[in-house]
Amino acid sequence: MKFLLIMHINPAIMEELTEAERQEIMEGHGEFMKTLRKSGEMISTEALADPSQSSVVRVRDGVPVVTDGPYLEAKEFLGGCYLVDVASRDRALELAAMIPDARFNGLGIEVRQVIFSGGPTA
C-alpha cells in the first residue's frame, strides 16, 4: 500500500523555533530517511520551496494567467512529502509519528493513501 506522508509547515511557527529545534528537525529527517531506506519502504521524498516563491497558473479564455505567490491565504502550507510503500495504514501512521516535525506544536503530518500512480511510459 502506498501512502503520502505530507508535511504541513506554518512559517510563523517555524520562525518561533530555536536554532537548536530547527536543527533537530533537519537532523531528524536525515535519520528518518535512513530508517525508510533500510526498511525498503521509501519510494521518494520531496521538499518544497517557501510558498512565497510559488506561482499559480490559471487559463482564462484560452490565455494562461500567472500569479506570483501562494495559491491560498493560509497559515499552513505544503512543505514536502514522503511517498512510502508499506504493509498497512497502521504502519504509515507509525512512520508519520517518526517524522520530527510531528513533535512540534502547530506542525503536523497528513497521511493519505495513494489510490493511483502514474509514471513515464517507455
Side-chain angles (χ1 to χ4, degrees), residues 20 22-33 100 103:
R22 283 191 287 274
Q23 189 65 32
E24 179 183 337
I25 289 173
M26 296 304 294
E27 290 173 4
H29 279 281
E31 289 301 313
F32 182 67
M33 287 186 275
R103 294 190 293 260

Side-chain angles (χ1 to χ4, degrees), residues 3-7 23-46 80-86 91-103 109-111:
F3 284 86
L4 198 58
L5 310 179
I6 306 165
M7 294 167 281
Q23 189 65 32
E24 179 183 337
I25 289 173
M26 296 304 294
E27 290 173 4
H29 279 281
E31 289 301 313
F32 182 67
M33 287 186 275
K34 285 180 191 175
T35 298
L36 287 178
R37 287 186 182 112
K38 185 176 180 181
S39 71
E41 295 169 310
M42 167 108 74
I43 296 174
S44 66
T45 186
E46 306 292 336
C81 63
Y82 289 95
L83 180 60
V84 298
D85 191 355
V86 295
R91 176 61 177 159
L93 295 172
E94 180 183 339
L95 290 173
M98 295 169 61
I99 297 174
D101 307 46
R103 294 190 293 260
I109 310 302
E110 180 180 351
V111 178

Side-chain angles (χ1 to χ4, degrees), residues 13-93:
I13 289 174
M14 292 301 290
E15 288 176 18
E16 291 175 3
L17 296 178
T18 67
E19 184 59 35
E21 289 170 329
R22 283 191 287 274
Q23 189 65 32
E24 179 183 337
I25 289 173
M26 296 304 294
E27 290 173 4
H29 279 281
E31 289 301 313
F32 182 67
M33 287 186 275
K34 285 180 191 175
T35 298
L36 287 178
R37 287 186 182 112
K38 185 176 180 181
S39 71
E41 295 169 310
M42 167 108 74
I43 296 174
S44 66
T45 186
E46 306 292 336
L48 301 176
D50 187 83
S52 65
Q53 298 177 33
S54 69
S55 296
V56 177
V57 178
R58 294 179 178 91
V59 178
R60 300 296 182 259
D61 297 321
V63 179
V65 178
V66 179
T67 306
D68 291 333
Y71 178 67
L72 297 172
E73 291 294 323
K75 292 180 183 179
E76 293 181 347
F77 297 95
L78 176 61
C81 63
Y82 289 95
L83 180 60
V84 298
D85 191 355
V86 295
S88 67
R89 181 177 185 274
D90 287 342
R91 176 61 177 159
L93 295 172

